[in-house]
Amino acid sequence: MSIASMTGFAREAGSTGPAHWAWELKSVNGRGLEVRVRVPAGLDAVGEEARALVQKRVGRGTCHLTLTLSRAEATPRVRINEALLASLAEAVTRVPMPLGITLPSVDGLLGIRGVIEVEEETGDDEALRRDLSAAAGRLVEALAEGRRAEGRALLDVVEGQLAAMADLVEAAEACPARRPEAVKARLAAQVAALMEAASLDPARLHQEAVLLAARADVREEIDRLRAHIGAARDLLAAGGAVGRRLDFLAQELGREANTLCAKANDVSLSRIGLDLKAVVEQFREQVQNVE
């Protein structure tokens, strides 16, 4: 499995008889899965069917599903009720007309209600529902493929950021400022400066120096950073809906990077820590787009 982005867009449009329709589906980042559906009146069942398709194919994100529908102006069909017209014509010939009254003409008979029938083409509603359902299926698949394609591009970015983090962690591990002799030299210089400035108990000063050296050790932070980077790589390799877990690891990476900076007792190590914090923040922003 590969990872997928939470952002995407898809559109399906077509015609069924006089009806022109268009489905649109877009998704954005979200903490969970939310599907908002808007369809014309009378097509609620089609909308709920499309919602179920989205919920089946999308694991996380806020999705907006919209259906627009319009009907073309159809030319009405005019039909003469010939049986009724013939019956009326025969009837008026049998009825004696008073003096001065003429028989009705054809146009007069055509004006009688029911002789001329106007039929408007309304289309096949069942065919429309079938076409809309089929289009909704294609729409959801198109969105899912778009999210997967964006996820593949996203994968390259976050893998590069993890590689950069790993390099910085190794640079911190190999930093000359972390070598015992360098730590000892710095502490010795600090102790000498304090001894010159004031009369202090050498034994007590030695204990404080040991405590300072212990607090300045970043071995645990380096080990945890390596573990978190490895866990993130495992999640990316597994694929699927791993966005929340990657976001949690990004927070943990940020916490360890902050601690490393706080404990750094040398400019070179501080610079490595600051560079690491910057890459972790970029990583955190990217994984928030992962499903």
Side-chain angles (χ1 to χ4, degrees), residues 21-102:
W21 46 263
W23 280 112
E24 285 191 357
L25 176 59
K26 65 178 180 179
S27 65
V28 295
N29 296 358
R31 294 182 62 84
L33 176 61
E34 182 180 3
V35 184
R36 302 174 183 174
V37 180
R38 187 173 63 185
V39 298
L43 294 172
D44 295 333
V46 175
E48 289 307 307
E49 181 183 344
R51 184 201 300 272
L53 290 174
V54 176
Q55 292 171 335
K56 185 178 180 181
R57 295 291 287 115
V58 175
R60 186 175 169 222
T62 300
C63 301
H64 300 268
L65 177 64
T66 305
L67 171 64
T68 56
L69 180 68
S70 62
R71 295 183 184 273
E73 290 293 335
T75 303
R77 292 187 300 177
V78 178
R79 189 178 70 87
I80 297 176
N81 190 332
E82 296 179 5
L84 178 59
L85 179 61
S87 178
L88 289 171
E90 182 184 358
V92 297
T93 59
R94 294 197 307 266
V95 176
M97 294 295 172
L99 186 64
I101 302 296
T102 61

Side-chain angles (χ1 to χ4, degrees), residues 13 18 33 40 48 88 91 130 136 148 162 165 192 202 211-212 219 228 247 262 287:
L33 176 61
E48 289 307 307
L88 289 171
R130 285 197 303 269
R148 286 194 297 267
L162 288 172
M165 284 185 235
L211 289 174
L212 286 173
R219 162 55 50 200
H228 295 330
D247 187 51
V287 299

